[in-house]
């Protein structure tokens, strides 16, 4: 299937006169094959997704996009139309997340993309591109966070107590709650949106806490409460989580929706053996990446993702990006890129 002479995209270009907090503009564009970046796999993109980082890029916030012009979108899935490496060939159904796509190289908000074969993963058996983007970077990150906690408990400190998820109504948080509940853990969910308590319970949370209940845990050591945690918020929330973890507990740290700052003491680390587990979903090693996608296919089938997923088109992204930054979206937003 040849690439058409022109195809739809959203493209970011640098502003000549920058506005406060805004260094570029994102607008609809018609691109050609010659404008695709170098790579040995060309993909017809059928679906992408919206993550918090995408929201920042689409709203012109500096620091996310590293080069211009560029197509944003840190996730993409679709069909290979040309492939010369890693065994990928025309017709293969694939997913790409991380590796700088949508940041330093054009990503998923275009009908065609060209990437390095080492970045491409085959879709797990029985899944499709819509499922992969309902998972997306957010769900992939949540799975890496769960796997990190499971590896931490390998030597007997099993997750035998409640596991806290902060920022639980977001993309990462929602998937983390669902994955942990599916694995049989008692899940506590922290959120700033108490109106979403029923939603979180429907995902498997047994207890819903307010954001303030966690962030006001401000003593160096609080009463031991959670066996482990997945934190998407950072700042005072992460500090509070650390102080209330049980002995040999761990927290997977994978977000900064609240703050990139961390003001805490080392007491939880040296007096209770608490561990901070950093989660990198961008340059995750390929064997771990493959393990995560296979586990997601097993534990998070399409029917389980359906309640936390909404589907939109490319034209919806400008207003969706404002809403995700304002905390108005919950769960996952799938973007249908290919026109019917």
């Amino acid at each position: 299937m040849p690439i058409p002479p022109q195809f739809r995209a959203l493209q970011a270009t640098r502003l000549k006169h920058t506005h406060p907090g805004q260094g570029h503009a994102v607008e609809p564009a018609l691109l050609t094959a010659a404008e695709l970046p170098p790579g040995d796999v060309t993909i017809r993109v059928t679906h992408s997704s919206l993550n918090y980082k995408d929201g920042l890029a689409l709203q012109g916030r500096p620091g996310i996009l590293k080069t211009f012009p560029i197509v944003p979108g840190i996730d993409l899935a679709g069909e290979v139309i040309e492939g010369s490496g890693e065994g990928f060939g025309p017709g293969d159904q694939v997913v790409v997340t991380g590796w700088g796509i949508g940041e330093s190289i054009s990503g998923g908000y275009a009908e065609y993309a060209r990437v390095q074969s080492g970045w491409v993963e085959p879709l797990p058996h029985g899944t499709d591109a819509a499922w992969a983007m309902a998972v997306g970077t957010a769900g992939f990150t949540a799975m890496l966070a769960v796997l990190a906690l499971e590896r931490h408990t390998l030597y007997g400190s099993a997750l035998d107590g409640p596991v806290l998820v902060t920022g639980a109504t977001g993309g990462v948080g929602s998937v983390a709650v669902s994955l942990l509940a599916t694995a049989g853990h008692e899940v506590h969910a922290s959120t700033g949106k108490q109106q979403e308590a029923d939603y979180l319970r429907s995902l498997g949370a047994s207890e819903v806490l307010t954001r303030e209940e966690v962030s006001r845990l401000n003593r160096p050591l609080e009463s031991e409460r959670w066996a482990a945690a997945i934190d998407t918020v950072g700042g005072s929330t992460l500090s509070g989580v650390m102080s209330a973890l049980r002995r040999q507990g761990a927290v997977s740290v994978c977000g900064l929706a609240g703050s990139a700052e961390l003001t805490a003491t080392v007491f939880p680390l040296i007096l209770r053996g608490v561990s901070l587990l950093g989660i990198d979903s961008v340059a995750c090693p390929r064997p771990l990446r493959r393990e995560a996608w296979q586990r997601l296919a097993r534990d998070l089938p399409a029917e389980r993702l359906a309640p936390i997923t909404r589907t939109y088109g490319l034209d919806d992204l400008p207003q969706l990006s404002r809403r995700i930054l304002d905390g108005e979206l919950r769960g996952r937003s799938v973007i249908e890129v290919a026109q019917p």
Side-chain angles (χ1 to χ4, degrees):
M1 177 191 302
I3 300 177
Q6 292 183 316
F7 55 87
R8 293 190 314 144
L10 289 183
Q11 188 176 57
T13 55
R14 194 184 299 277
L15 293 173
K16 292 182 179 179
H17 303 289
T18 58
H19 303 284
Q22 188 173 29
H24 63 269
V26 182
E27 297 176 322
L30 291 175
L31 303 183
T32 67
E35 294 174 272
L36 292 174
D40 50 8
V41 177
T42 304
I43 300 167
R44 177 178 176 265
V45 180
T46 60
H47 295 78
S48 185
S49 76
L50 177 70
N51 301 277
Y52 191 83
K53 186 182 288 186
D54 296 314
L56 293 171
L58 289 168
Q59 286 298 306
R61 304 287 180 85
I64 302 299
L65 303 181
K66 309 299 192 298
T67 186
F68 298 93
I70 187 173
V71 174
I74 64 172
D75 296 337
L76 65 87
E79 178 183 358
V80 173
I81 60 170
E82 295 176 1
S84 61
E86 299 283 340
F88 293 108
D92 290 345
Q93 302 297 305
V94 296
V95 58
V96 185
T97 65
W99 305 113
I101 69 165
E103 298 180 72
S104 57
I105 188 171
S106 284
Y109 296 157
E111 292 179 306
Y112 290 86
R114 186 176 291 133
V115 298
Q116 302 297 324
S117 57
W119 305 345
V120 182
E121 290 294 326
L123 286 181
H125 179 72
T127 67
D128 59 17
W131 170 85
M133 292 295 93
V135 174
T137 285
F140 177 67
T141 300
M143 188 74 257
L144 292 178
V146 171
L147 290 173
L149 291 178
E150 291 178 348
R151 288 196 301 274
H152 176 75
T153 63
L154 188 61
Y155 295 102
S157 174
L159 299 176
D160 56 359
V163 183
L164 175 69
V165 177
T166 67
T169 60
V172 177
S174 294
V175 176
V177 170
S178 185
L179 286 170
L180 289 165
T182 298
H185 301 299
E186 178 186 349
V187 184
H188 294 183
S190 167
T191 179
K193 306 172 187 175
Q194 283 305 294
Q195 71 274 19
E196 301 288 8
D198 289 343
Y199 163 74
L200 292 170
R201 290 191 178 96
S202 75
L203 299 181
S206 62
E207 182 174 338
V208 179
L209 300 84
T210 67
R211 179 168 48 203
E212 291 72 25
E213 285 180 84
V214 180
S215 61
R216 68 171 174 244
L217 297 170
N218 54 19
R219 293 183 297 178
L221 286 177
E222 297 280 352
S223 298
E224 297 181 45
R225 186 165 183 179
W226 297 292
I230 294 175
D231 177 61
T232 73
V233 178
S236 60
T237 295
L238 177 54
S239 300
V241 170
M242 291 169 54
S243 71
L245 286 180
R246 297 179 180 180
R247 289 184 180 275
Q248 309 307 317
V251 52
S252 289
V253 182
C254 55
L256 42 64
S259 174
E261 301 297 323
L262 176 59
T263 302
T265 74
V266 299
F267 288 132
L269 284 67
I270 65 174
L271 297 182
R272 289 183 181 164
V274 166
S275 296
L276 297 179
L277 310 175
I279 304 302
D280 170 22
S281 63
V282 174
C284 170
R286 201 162 193 189
L288 179 57
R289 190 176 290 271
R290 187 70 53 90
E291 177 187 358
W293 280 109
Q294 292 298 328
R295 175 77 173 269
L296 283 161
R298 188 194 78 182
D299 290 358
L300 207 63
E303 59 270 20
R304 191 165 179 85
L305 273 172
I308 67 172
T309 304
R310 298 292 181 271
T311 301
Y312 305 92
L314 270 181
D315 295 339
D316 298 315
L317 279 168
Q319 59 95 4
L320 287 174
S321 62
R322 290 189 291 271
R323 292 181 62 197
I324 197 171
L325 296 189
D326 290 340
E328 297 177 1
L329 297 181
R330 73 180 189 188
R332 297 287 297 138
S333 299
V334 173
I335 308 302
E336 287 188 339
V337 178
Q339 291 184 311

